Amino acid sequence: MTSQAETVTVRVPGKINLGLSVGPLREDGYHELSTIYHAVSLYDTVTVQPADDWSVHVTGPWGDRVPADASNLALVAARTLARRRARRAKVDPVRIDIDKNIPVAGGMAGGSADAAAALVGCRELWALDHIENDMLEGIAAGLGSDVPFLLHGGTAIGTGRGEQVTSVLARGELHWVLWAGEDLSLSTPEVYAEWDRLREEAGTVPGTPEPSGELMAALRRMDTDAVADALHNDLQDAAISLQPVLSEALAAGLDLGARGALVSGSGPTVAFLVGSQTEAIDLSVGLAANGPHGDIVRATGPVPGAQVVHHRNSPEPYRALPTPHRPGPPGPVTG
Ligand code: ATP
């Protein structure tokens, strides 16, 4: 029988998109896209434990921006997995605790990350060992376009609406500085609508989206400057059109020595590529002093997707676990 003190803790990264090509609007309302996802060492920690009823509790730097109700994507994911299992065996409700470090509505797929973590955590807690990765990925794809990648991690191509994930050969490590503007958020549907509007205004018709060969070759060699030159996001102009401060942030980072820069996904988080940890420290200090106001975090990539980092089954009462990892020293700097 399951002890009330049993807890499973999962660490899950945020993502940036090294390349994002948007294609035509599909009949189901999604745009066809081709993206290169890259998981970075900025983590949410999600802990699940058996409880009398379903609930979610969110703490951490971005905790107050996340709904702590039935709409929370981690809770939606846990209940979806439970429903799938209810056909065979009843599972207990869970309490979910999220330590939220990934910027919310920032283009880093933080909600999808928490959903992926809840799937991995509940599979472990409910001992659903027989649930194959394929089935978990199927459930993940139904929850959101980015959820399968957050199970997968690393660097990967996303096609379809982003939910079809294939690994990319990328050896070595990239160093990043991430800037998340204070009180800045962008809704993904609004950014796509703005992209549609800009395309119509310009009279251009989107072609079939494809991953950039230049970017793939640069990743295979893990040549930082070549990766920097090949970074590309079709949604960047739309995000800047809605939040003009983003162009100020991009210019500030490049002036301060970033090798490359782009808005992550639908924004508004901006990712700066640098050549080393020392360059990352220099850039984050420079941005904090001279860039637009925002949270600045150093990170590396690629890192694995959602992973169980702790499984405790003891009669001790539950105590929240500390976040097992914060991105490289000395942690977030507020500018
Ligand atoms: P994407 O890059 O996938 O478009 P995003 O990073 O821009 O996503 P999220 O941080 O995933 O955006 O949040 C989108 C919205 O989802 C938020 O405004 C929030 O209200 C809602 N949400 C629900 N559950 C969560 C969660 N666990 N964490 C973050 N946001 C959540």
Side-chain angles (χ1 to χ4, degrees), residues 2-318:
T2 312
S3 149
Q4 279 300 309
E6 183 172 13
T7 65
V8 175
T9 300
V10 177
R11 188 176 76 168
V12 65
K15 62 83 184 160
I16 57 178
N17 303 75
L18 305 181
L20 178 55
S21 303
V22 183
L25 189 62
R26 307 191 318 194
E27 281 190 0
D28 63 5
Y30 288 96
H31 286 84
E32 190 71 20
L33 58 85
S34 167
T35 187
I36 298 186
Y37 289 117
H38 182 69
V40 292
S41 63
L42 175 57
Y43 297 102
D44 280 358
T45 306
V46 176
T47 300
V48 294
Q49 62 182 310
D52 293 334
D53 213 345
W54 300 94
S55 68
V56 61
H57 307 263
V58 193
T59 54
W62 294 85
D64 58 354
R65 309 261 190 106
V66 179
D69 58 25
S71 70
N72 190 292
L73 294 172
L75 200 50
V76 173
R79 295 180 104 157
T80 303
L81 182 60
R83 264 199 310 279
R84 294 284 179 97
R85 297 319 305 151
R87 288 186 205 138
R88 289 201 191 171
K90 184 157 164 26
V91 294
D92 293 325
V94 289
R95 170 190 166 123
I96 302 178
D97 287 275
I98 302 174
D99 182 13
K100 188 87 204 150
N101 295 295
I102 303 172
V104 174
M108 292 192 69
S112 303
D114 297 345
L119 290 179
V120 169
C122 289
R123 173 169 70 169
E124 170 99 3
L125 184 73
W126 296 329
L128 304 175
D129 308 340
H130 51 283
I131 291 201
E132 302 297 334
N133 285 342
D134 279 0
M135 181 175 172
L136 212 61
E137 276 163 25
I139 296 173
L143 292 166
S145 306
D146 295 336
V147 185
F149 173 69
L150 275 314
L151 288 176
H152 185 283
T155 304
I157 298 175
T159 51
R161 54 184 167 82
E163 86 286 11
Q164 293 159 28
V165 176
T166 317
S167 296
V168 164
L169 184 62
R171 294 196 191 89
E173 194 176 53
L174 294 171
H175 293 265
W176 299 93
V177 174
L178 307 170
W179 176 90
E182 189 144 276
D183 296 328
L184 219 58
S185 65
L186 279 172
S187 119
T188 305
E190 268 171 31
V191 176
Y192 275 96
E194 181 67 2
W195 183 81
D196 285 331
R197 195 188 66 76
L198 293 174
R199 296 293 286 226
E200 260 171 48
E201 211 173 72
T204 50
V205 180
T208 306
E210 279 175 12
S212 146
E214 195 191 341
L215 183 52
M216 302 278 281
L219 286 166
R220 266 196 302 277
R221 300 198 307 276
M222 211 36 122
D223 174 338
T224 303
D225 287 319
V227 173
D229 287 346
L231 294 172
H232 172 76
N233 180 1
D234 273 358
L235 293 176
Q236 183 158 302
D237 287 348
I240 291 173
S241 163
L242 295 171
Q243 295 281 8
V245 69
L246 295 180
S247 94
E248 205 188 310
L250 287 160
L254 290 168
D255 279 355
L256 288 161
R259 312 276 183 111
L262 87 174
V263 169
S264 173
S266 56
T269 302
V270 176
F272 297 102
L273 180 57
V274 290
S276 65
Q277 195 182 358
T278 309
E279 285 183 28
I281 292 170
D282 288 348
L283 178 60
S284 53
V285 170
L287 269 178
N290 301 310
H293 207 59
D295 279 352
I296 299 154
V297 175
R298 293 187 284 284
T300 58
V303 296
Q307 278 190 322
V308 174
V309 290
H310 194 97
H311 186 163
R312 187 174 73 171
N313 188 359
S314 83
E316 296 291 313
Y318 172 74

